[in-house]
Amino acid sequence: MRSVAEHQKIVSELFGPPETVRVAVADALGMATVDDAVAAFAMPAFDNSAMDGYAVRADDIAGASAAEPVRLPVVDDIPAGRTGLVTLAPGTTARIMTGAPLPDGADAVVPVELTDGDFSVDHVPDSTVGFSSGVEAGKHIRREGSDIARGDVALPAGTVLGAAQIGLLSALGLADVAVARRLRVVVLSTGSELVEPGKPLQHGQIYESNGAMLTAALTEAGALARHVHFVPDDVADFLERLDEASADADLIITSGGVSAGAYEVVKEALDAGPVEFVKVAMQPGMPQGCGHHLDPAGRRVPIITLPGNPVSSLVSFEVFIRPPLRAAMGLSPDRPRVAATLGSDIRSPEGKRQFMRGVVDESLLPGVDGRLVVEPIGPPGSHHLRYLAGANALIDIPATTTALPAGSVVNVVVL
Amino acid sequence: MRSVAEHQKIVSELFGPPETVRVAVADALGMATVDDAVAAFAMPAFDNSAMDGYAVRADDIAGASAAEPVRLPVVDDIPAGRTGLVTLAPGTTARIMTGAPLPDGADAVVPVELTDGDFSVDHVPDSTVGFSSGVEAGKHIRREGSDIARGDVALPAGTVLGAAQIGLLSALGLADVAVARRLRVVVLSTGSELVEPGKPLQHGQIYESNGAMLTAALTEAGALARHVHFVPDDVADFLERLDEASADADLIITSGGVSAGAYEVVKEALDAGPVEFVKVAMQPGMPQGCGHHLDPAGRRVPIITLPGNPVSSLVSFEVFIRPPLRAAMGLSPDRPRVAATLGSDIRSPEGKRQFMRGVVDESLLPGVDGRLVVEPIGPPGSHHLRYLAGANALIDIPATTTALPAGSVVNVVVL
């Protein structure tokens, strides 16, 4: 049997390096930049006022006091967005708003609260204003380039864009940005026993759940996922749907039809082609396959064939697909891993690496011994979707381990 | 001045309880359920085979050994999805696939590897099969209801749906699910100094960044956000855009125009109406406002007016809007908070609660003293978008604190 690490390597080789696409900055949330974002101009681009108040030459009001205020003529009114350059003549002042460009000649701003000025909303400044104290030159001025100098790297390549980063790119004047392209993934679930949710179920049938589940997992991972409705265990039908699905896909994921039974549609349809079906020494998720599908146009589309049991399917996705898929989109491949204390005794099959479902405290707060406690939940069987839905961690038990007592330290993947 | 806690309370009162909407399960990723998901049938719904193999009555092969195998006639071939009920007569066996319904009468499954059966893909079972060992009654059978009993709560109300939960709801046969509705939020940014990114900039102008930034923050928070292009500082124009924006909005967020200057369009337009403008004792983010806007149809739409400086704007969103917005969508309101050790000396303005930008180790691994270390970055000024974009934490400094030395323990919000 192939080891988990070997199969991880083989699956990861299906993915190429990230491809670049330009998208509107507003649409780039969660995507990774591929270039350094270099400031084409300094930020701020010009000296501007940090306060609502009066721009002055500090020398002009050096002697001001409450007892002997200095009164200056108000020669201008500068709102934010004023574009004409103005010069403040000695012995005068200009009303100025936060963010408005400082006039040439001015070297300080006095907040309105420290003057007898009136900032009522009629927009007409008083003709003179009194200052009851002096001001230090440079005070209340945001200097050109004090945030970012022209030519500085504002955001390094590889940054995953959140709200603040999108704000920064916009402030740099960028309407679009080069990012790693989201991969388009098609999920094709197979199995004659599957019935679409919402429709009646006969004895012997089950509701199809892998399609919606894997599509959600792919979306969460940052991909553009689409679910093609499951197909019955018919090779010709399967191949037809696969050809259709391949047309605009970067990756195809199938679920079901890869095990050792006599009705394994995926295996039967693809075994002769460039797809390899193997047993991987893990639980759940032993039957695996991957390779390429030649679409009708002759394009090689990577395909990964997951087992049909829901728990096997999602655990296989986590172990084999999510890391290289995210790497191929410039996103961090790995979920956090922590060493945690096992809350109960466990057993594990010899020769198989087991990924047990577990629960860790949501706050990730360590227990009394300073370590997080992980509680295994549910039996090892791969059909217990309930426990998978209740888990927030996978406990990674090495293939050589067959039993561990409560209190053992284990390696935990936090989902 | 109003305290942060008071203003948080007043803003949160603008939000109602979560509203229910039914959506397709496949579209419900990240949304919170409002009802318990009760299993309408047991899962599995019928006893089924856990292996590819042969269904037997255990008694029939009790004496089998390698030396003296028991040979039984193969009377049926049961793939997954077989819907007719069948009964296994004593002294016979049926080929059976993983997940296929166990025939009545059978009480165990023998994996194909422990027989001389052939599971080649031609689908025609051999007419007889030899068993070289006995099997325990009940072996390799997934019992009806062993995952979930009929009537059990499979997922409690309030569960935020991830991939596994979407899989579980699908497996329960649910095509749609009642969830807390996503709120539709419109962002309206104001300021005559603002220029759309990608267009030329004149001296005195800056690129508009709050709209894209707040829209991204809202999207990350789970809301349906839309950005209405900024409007200049013109009251009539602003009110017209506001009326348009209100039509299908659950919440309006403005940025800019709420400070103490003489050109504060938001304040000027709304001060007479049911919007209150206040100073909140915090840094950044002192000028705040909130209330309701009466749309042209007379509907009261909640409105929150944020300050225009990018850092103030996003920090205000984090402190005042994100928690009640998420609560109103059934999502966990709070980001994780940890006690961390300050990496450098800091100062803080007296009487103002400060939210400093900081960086904590991505892995959230504690430092040598067992505590996470947080390093403050950038100056306190609200225009330093660069440092906001580099931060992954807010350091929450109480209003009464004016200085703290490196090594102090501080309260940190992890972004």
Side-chain angles (χ1 to χ4, degrees):
Chain A
M1 275 199 282
R2 187 180 277 177
S3 75
V4 168
E6 281 172 276
H7 194 61
Q8 281 175 322
K9 183 168 179 295
I10 288 164
V11 170
S12 72
E13 286 165 357
L14 295 174
F15 294 85
E19 290 175 26
T20 299
V21 67
R22 287 201 82 84
V23 301
V25 167
D27 297 334
L29 181 63
M31 300 178 85
T33 60
V34 296
D35 303 316
D36 289 345
V38 175
F41 53 88
M43 279 180 59
F46 47 89
D47 290 353
N48 68 86
S49 178
M51 302 294 279
D52 297 313
Y54 291 87
V56 295
R57 294 172 180 256
D59 281 352
D60 285 345
I61 60 167
S65 66
E68 293 189 52
V70 173
R71 184 154 290 275
L72 296 178
V74 180
V75 297
D76 204 350
D77 185 28
I78 312 174
R82 162 76 77 87
T83 54
L85 285 168
V86 288
T87 301
L88 187 74
T92 69
T93 185
R95 194 165 81 154
I96 192 166
M97 304 304 144
T98 305
L102 194 75
D104 282 351
D107 60 9
V109 170
V110 180
V112 61
E113 301 84 45
L114 304 182
T115 71
D116 63 2
D118 179 7
F119 269 37
S120 60
V121 294
D122 62 3
H123 297 181
V124 183
D126 303 315
S127 58
T128 64
V129 65
F131 299 86
S132 52
S133 59
V135 66
E136 204 180 321
K139 197 78 178 167
H140 301 308
I141 295 173
R142 298 173 182 156
R143 288 289 177 199
E144 176 184 336
S146 58
D147 194 2
I148 304 179
R150 180 177 173 173
D152 266 11
V153 173
L155 272 187
T159 299
V160 177
L161 299 173
Q165 294 75 31
I166 282 176
L168 179 55
L169 292 179
S170 300
L172 292 170
L174 301 171
D176 48 45
V177 58
V179 292
R181 184 167 74 80
R182 293 190 193 282
L183 296 186
R184 297 157 305 175
V185 186
V186 175
V187 177
L188 204 67
S189 32
T190 70
S192 289
E193 71 277 28
L194 302 177
V195 171
E196 195 179 351
K199 297 195 171 161
L201 201 66
Q202 294 181 59
H203 178 86
Q205 297 180 323
I206 60 172
Y207 284 114
E208 206 281 312
S209 59
N210 286 353
M213 179 179 74
L214 290 169
T215 306
L218 285 158
T219 305
E220 277 184 329
L224 297 172
R226 184 163 64 88
H227 176 213
V228 171
H229 202 273
F230 62 89
V231 293
D233 291 338
D234 178 282
V235 168
D237 195 356
F238 172 75
L239 284 172
E240 194 180 316
R241 302 299 288 274
L242 190 60
D243 281 347
E244 283 167 26
S246 308
D248 59 354
D250 299 307
L251 170 67
I252 300 162
I253 298 177
T254 65
S255 88
V258 295
S259 159
Y263 302 86
E264 304 291 347
V265 66
V266 175
K267 213 170 178 176
E268 218 174 310
L270 301 178
D271 216 359
V275 177
E276 188 186 14
F277 293 93
V278 293
K279 288 186 176 178
V280 175
M282 70 187 284
Q283 183 187 65
M286 186 177 69
Q288 300 286 343
C290 70
H292 290 90
H293 174 64
L294 291 177
D295 80 357
R299 196 172 59 104
R300 283 161 58 88
V301 184
I303 181 167
I304 300 168
T305 66
L306 298 178
N309 281 313
V311 178
S312 304
S313 210
L314 193 58
V315 170
S316 301
F317 174 83
E318 281 292 329
V319 172
F320 298 117
I321 301 180
R322 191 180 182 277
L325 173 72
R326 284 180 58 85
M329 299 188 295
L331 305 173
S332 63
D334 298 318
R335 295 203 188 257
R337 273 185 179 260
V338 292
T341 303
L342 206 49
S344 313
D345 299 349
I346 58 138
R347 286 188 305 162
S348 194
E350 193 169 358
K352 286 187 177 177
R353 186 160 157 191
Q354 191 185 186
F355 294 91
M356 298 189 80
R357 277 66 69 200
V359 174
V360 293
D361 188 280
E362 288 270 319
S363 67
L364 297 185
L365 292 179
V368 280
D369 64 345
R371 238 188 257 282
L372 201 64
V373 173
V374 63
E375 195 59 54
I377 55 165
S382 50
H383 67 297
H384 294 281
L385 196 43
R386 167 189 233 166
Y387 296 105
L388 184 65
N392 61 9
L394 290 177
I395 311 170
D396 184 357
I397 310 289
T400 48
T401 301
T402 54
L404 284 175
S408 305
V409 175
V410 287
N411 193 328
V412 167
V413 181
V414 181
L415 299 177
Chain B
M1 275 199 281
R2 186 180 278 177
S3 75
V4 169
E6 281 173 275
H7 194 61
Q8 282 175 320
K9 183 167 178 297
I10 288 164
V11 171
S12 71
E13 286 164 359
L14 297 174
F15 293 86
E19 291 175 26
T20 299
V21 66
R22 289 200 80 83
V23 301
V25 168
D27 296 334
L29 182 64
M31 301 178 84
T33 61
V34 295
D35 303 316
D36 289 344
V38 175
F41 53 87
M43 278 182 58
F46 47 88
D47 290 352
N48 69 85
S49 178
M51 302 292 279
D52 297 314
Y54 291 87
V56 295
R57 294 170 179 257
D59 281 352
D60 286 343
I61 61 165
S65 66
E68 292 189 52
V70 173
R71 183 155 289 277
L72 295 178
V74 180
V75 297
D76 204 350
D77 184 30
I78 313 174
R82 162 76 76 87
T83 54
L85 285 167
V86 288
T87 300
L88 188 73
T92 69
T93 185
R95 194 164 81 154
I96 192 166
M97 304 303 144
T98 305
L102 194 74
D104 281 352
D107 59 9
V109 170
V110 180
V112 60
E113 300 85 45
L114 304 181
T115 72
D116 62 2
D118 178 9
F119 268 37
S120 60
V121 293
D122 63 3
H123 296 181
V124 182
D126 304 316
S127 56
T128 65
V129 65
F131 298 88
S132 52
S133 59
V135 67
E136 206 180 320
K139 198 77 179 169
H140 301 309
I141 294 173
R142 298 173 183 155
R143 287 292 178 198
E144 175 183 336
S146 57
D147 194 2
I148 303 180
R150 182 178 171 172
D152 267 11
V153 172
L155 273 187
T159 299
V160 177
L161 298 173
Q165 295 75 31
I166 282 177
L168 179 55
L169 292 179
S170 300
L172 292 169
L174 301 171
D176 48 44
V177 59
V179 291
R181 184 167 75 77
R182 292 190 192 282
L183 296 186
R184 295 157 306 175
V185 187
V186 175
V187 177
L188 204 65
S189 32
T190 70
S192 289
E193 72 276 29
L194 303 177
V195 172
E196 194 178 353
K199 296 193 171 162
L201 200 67
Q202 294 181 59
H203 179 86
Q205 297 180 322
I206 60 172
Y207 284 114
E208 205 280 312
S209 60
N210 287 352
M213 180 178 73
L214 290 170
T215 305
L218 286 158
T219 304
E220 276 184 331
L224 296 172
R226 185 162 64 86
H227 175 214
V228 171
H229 202 272
F230 63 88
V231 293
D233 292 338
D234 179 283
V235 167
D237 195 355
F238 172 75
L239 284 173
E240 194 180 317
R241 300 302 286 273
L242 190 60
D243 280 348
E244 284 167 24
S246 309
D248 59 353
D250 299 306
L251 171 67
I252 299 162
I253 299 176
T254 64
S255 88
V258 294
S259 162
Y263 301 88
E264 304 290 346
V265 66
V266 175
K267 214 170 177 176
E268 218 174 310
L270 301 177
D271 216 359
V275 177
E276 188 186 14
F277 293 92
V278 294
K279 287 186 177 179
V280 176
M282 71 187 283
Q283 185 188 61
M286 186 176 71
Q288 300 286 343
C290 69
H292 289 89
H293 174 64
L294 291 178
D295 79 358
R299 195 171 61 102
R300 281 162 58 87
V301 184
I303 182 167
I304 301 169
T305 65
L306 299 179
N309 281 313
V311 178
S312 305
S313 209
L314 193 58
V315 169
S316 302
F317 174 83
E318 282 291 330
V319 172
F320 298 117
I321 302 180
R322 192 179 181 278
L325 173 72
R326 284 180 57 86
M329 299 189 293
L331 305 175
S332 63
D334 299 318
R335 294 203 189 257
R337 271 185 182 262
V338 294
T341 303
L342 206 49
S344 313
D345 299 350
I346 58 141
R347 286 187 305 163
S348 193
E350 192 167 1
K352 287 188 177 178
R353 185 161 157 191
Q354 190 185 186
F355 294 91
M356 297 190 81
R357 278 67 69 200
V359 172
V360 294
D361 187 281
E362 287 270 317
S363 67
L364 297 184
L365 292 179
V368 280
D369 63 345
R371 239 187 257 283
L372 201 65
V373 174
V374 64
E375 194 59 52
I377 56 166
S382 49
H383 68 295
H384 294 281
L385 196 44
R386 167 190 231 166
Y387 296 105
L388 183 65
N392 61 9
L394 290 177
I395 311 170
D396 184 357
I397 308 288
T400 49
T401 301
T402 53
L404 283 175
S408 305
V409 175
V410 287
N411 193 330
V412 167
V413 180
V414 182
L415 299 178

